[in-house]
Amino acid sequence: MIKKPNRLPASLDSELIVKDARRALELSMPSRRLFGKRALTLGGLALLTGCDITDNASVNRMLTRISRMNDGVQGWLFDPDKLAPTYPASMITRPFPFNAFYGEDEITEVDGDAYRLELKGLIDNRRPWTLPALRRLPQVEQITRHICVEGWSAIGRWGGVPFAGFLRHVGADLSAKYIAFRCADDYYTSIDMPTALHPQTQLTLTYDGDILPPKYGFPMKLRMPTKLGYKNPKHIVSIEVTNTYPGGYWEDQGYNWFGGA
Ligand SMILES: Nc1nc2c(c(=O)[nH]1)N[C@H]1C(S)=C(S)[C@@H](COP(=O)(O)O)O[C@H]1N2
Ligand SMILES: [Mo]
């Protein structure tokens, strides 16, 4: 049965709601082509989400639901074997941009000697890791593109440990839904298991052949060329494997959770 959306109270501007919804859809939905040039209408959005749009709270619920649908579609479209493009060293962006939720004058400093990576949740061996122990694991390198939703992208060279191998090594439950990351600067984010196991997902310890500098996430960050910048946590201090949705710093403020690049 087709449900007609309720009449909109005067306080809500339908044009603005549709604009917000379009933005939520476009933020990072690879399937946005599906919506193409077809006009989004309030009625269409109500049908799409099964939400009645009657007040501000229901508008927010609808936008959240769009973002969640977006996660589902992206998760379903994600190909665990498809590699992101790699580039020659001559294409590395110099200097590589810095970005964080604070300015470059407040870069987080972590003491490498005192550093311990904590493991939590559904992992057999939750022994903490020192930096030298992480460096003793087999290392790989990638030259890939980092894409930030703020409208810039840059090619960089990162080295470190393939994350899938690390997860297997510590006995993580690979059937769990989420991996959650906490950072030394109180940033946090989380990813889906298929992305965690993707061959280009890397526990990163170096940048351009040198120890990862503070501005790029010393002592360790997660590098994923299949995900947007905000999904790539720097200064990681703990990794948790869990089935409870962990959210993230930007995700909890409305950024799309899957965040595919
Ligand atoms: N710990 C931490 N990680 C973070 C962020 C942050 O503020 N804190 N910002 C994210 C965003 S939005 C981007 S674009 C990249 C920037 O990484 P870069 O400084 O290496 O370019 O880091 C991501 N990871
Ligand atoms: Mo970003």
Side-chain angles (χ1 to χ4, degrees):
M1 198 196 95
I2 292 178
K3 205 167 64 174
K4 280 228 184 78
N6 290 355
R7 227 166 63 87
L8 210 59
S11 63
L12 291 178
D13 179 333
S14 71
E15 236 174 77
L16 279 181
I17 296 171
V18 170
K19 233 172 124 187
D20 279 351
R22 177 172 283 282
R23 231 173 45 109
L25 278 167
E26 284 176 351
L27 242 173
S28 59
M29 192 159 179
S31 60
R32 56 184 169 265
R33 273 169 270 108
L34 294 176
F35 295 89
K37 298 220 166 6
R38 217 173 313 155
L40 279 177
T41 61
L42 260 194
L45 286 169
L47 274 176
L48 190 66
T49 57
C51 295
D52 272 330
I53 300 159
T54 51
D55 53 19
N56 271 313
S58 59
V59 169
N60 287 339
R61 263 197 304 280
M62 176 195 68
L63 293 174
T64 304
R65 202 160 293 180
I66 288 175
S67 180
R68 283 291 119 78
M69 288 193 315
N70 184 333
D71 288 339
V73 172
Q74 289 189 64
W76 180 74
L77 287 175
F78 182 74
D79 180 344
D81 301 316
K82 187 171 175 244
L83 296 182
T86 58
Y87 301 87
S90 60
M91 285 182 73
I92 294 172
T93 308
R94 300 183 194 280
F96 192 86
F98 160 86
N99 196 31
F101 66 90
Y102 41 84
E104 204 158 349
D105 49 337
E106 288 172 84
I107 288 174
T108 304
E109 297 279 350
V110 174
D111 175 353
D113 296 330
Y115 177 76
R116 297 290 179 277
L117 169 67
E118 305 287 342
L119 300 184
K120 300 192 263 190
L122 307 169
I123 297 176
D124 288 338
N125 188 350
R126 291 188 295 274
R127 170 177 66 86
W129 285 72
T130 63
L131 205 41
L134 288 171
R135 287 179 182 145
R136 279 194 295 270
L137 294 170
Q139 311 279 311
V140 294
E141 270 204 351
Q142 62 173 270
I143 300 177
T144 50
R145 186 183 294 277
H146 170 117
I147 303 169
C148 174
V149 282
E150 286 171 43
W152 56 271
S153 84
I155 294 171
R157 172 182 168 213
W158 292 274
V161 181
F163 194 41
F166 180 82
L167 287 175
R168 290 199 174 90
H169 183 75
V170 297
D173 176 356
L174 304 183
S175 70
K177 280 200 184 124
Y178 309 108
I179 322 276
F181 302 89
R182 301 222 143 248
C183 308
D185 57 359
D186 293 331
Y187 193 78
Y188 61 104
T189 186
S190 54
I191 60 168
D192 53 292
M193 186 62 77
T195 300
L197 299 178
H198 185 274
Q200 287 169 309
T201 296
Q202 182 195 81
L203 276 187
T204 297
L205 298 163
T206 68
Y207 182 77
D208 205 10
D210 292 322
I211 292 174
L212 194 65
K215 62 176 172 174
Y216 302 142
F218 182 84
M220 195 267 284
K221 67 169 275 178
L222 192 76
R223 173 66 199 141
M224 293 170 287
T226 58
K227 285 220 190 288
L228 294 167
Y230 64 89
K231 301 299 295 182
N232 290 238
K234 306 194 283 188
H235 317 290
I236 297 172
V237 293
S238 83
I239 297 177
E240 178 177 9
V241 177
T242 176
N243 283 308
T244 308
Y245 176 73
Y249 180 90
W250 290 114
E251 294 88 331
D252 293 350
Q253 300 176 58
Y255 277 38
N256 166 247
W257 179 74
F258 194 86

